[in-house]
Amino acid sequence: MAHNLSIAVLKTGLVPSQKRLEDPILEITLWGMKFSNPIGLAAGYDKNAEVSDALFKQGFGFVEIGTVTPQPQHGNSKPRLFRLIEDEAVINQMGFNNSGMCQVAKNLTRRRNRDGIIGVNLGKNKTTENVSIDYEKETLILGPLSDYLVINVSSPNTPGLRALQSRFTLENLIEKVQHNLNKLTQQPPLLLKISPDLNDKDLYDIAEVAKKTKLDGLIVTNTTITRPYGLHSFNKTKTGGLSGAPLFELSTKILREIYSVTNGCIPLIGVGGITTGAQAYSKIRAGASLIQLYTTLIYHGMSQITKIKYDLGRLLRRDGFQKLTDAIGADHKGS
Ligand SMILES: Cc1cc2nc3c(=O)[nH]c(=O)nc-3n(C[C@H](O)[C@H](O)[C@H](O)COP(=O)(O)O)c2cc1C
């Protein structure tokens, strides 16, 4: 309810803009696009591209919409979102509720010539058996309307989805999507969003596939089905993907490892448990070129974006970096 209400409020256009003059140290160019700052909205909030412009006014450097599926679907039955207040976390079992790719394409077309970098996160319908067909269709319809596309094979609430992360299945899926991307006059960069619940062998395999298929980037990570030690809240036993503060350590560890196994050659978007500028900075030092937020906005509101940007700029300067790019992966270089 809180989610729908906040979308409705943003739709009114009456939410005051938080957009200020951006700090030039935060600017970064990636995939030929200039990001005025590296803080993005993670997938799952603006599922249908209804409020992207209002979100840019809140100060995001980019917005990822979706997950979108070919057919509209309701998702799992309610309640499907549980707050773990004491842990500043949530567990969700949404199951890709969204209006479907045709409606999303209409919404994206409506705002087509406006500013703002929009990524489109692609998933499959719950009942689809030939999985790659869903992603292939979406690529053709949504690819021309997106600044980057994401193959999401890491949400825990669609049965069988995470199994698509295994080496040969993944390679096959990416190649089929790329085949369709090649049919477009302009190809957006193609990224893959991965789970934090992968072992070293899985990570190595994903890195190999990413290199072989020349993926443009990885989003690290989605929510976890594990329950990190020390959770206090009553709701910790609910089924679903955990996000927010308790995910920070795990998702940053995976980010660090994937940066290492890909030798820093593939741009990474770091996501999972970020609330402060210091945590955003840690992700960047661990190897992220961009970062994303979701759960912190539930607990701290949109004003957190401005605070994170301010602190990130301050920390970069404190450590003698001239620009954000110089800090990416700094932990691996000993600087
Ligand atoms: C309510 C909710 C819905 C989400 N839906 C999606 C989704 O549809 N697709 C996706 O790739 N990630 C989804 N996510 C995961 C987020 O994009 C993000 O990867 C994760 O929450 C970790 O970031 P955070 O700790 O900043 O929230 C969702 C997260 C939440 C909390």
Side-chain angles (χ1 to χ4, degrees), residues 19-40:
K19 223 171 156 127
R20 310 274 180 275
L21 212 55
E22 297 277 18
D23 182 346
I25 201 169
L26 298 181
E27 191 180 298
I28 173 167
T29 300
L30 201 58
W31 307 304
M33 291 180 276
K34 197 168 100 182
F35 293 75
S36 60
N37 75 74
I39 318 295

Side-chain angles (χ1 to χ4, degrees), residues 23-27 312-314 316-317 321-325:
D23 182 346
I25 201 169
L26 298 181
E27 191 180 298
L312 180 57
R314 192 177 49 77
L316 287 166
R317 287 193 178 85
F321 293 110
Q322 311 274 318
K323 47 189 193 315
L324 176 82
T325 325

Side-chain angles (χ1 to χ4, degrees), residues 91-111:
I91 291 176
N92 91 80
Q93 44 181 258
M94 307 300 285
F96 292 166
N97 53 306
N98 77 105
S99 309
M101 66 179 178
C102 294
Q103 182 58 50
V104 172
K106 277 188 201 151
N107 295 351
L108 287 172
T109 305
R110 213 172 295 133
R111 63 148 329 267

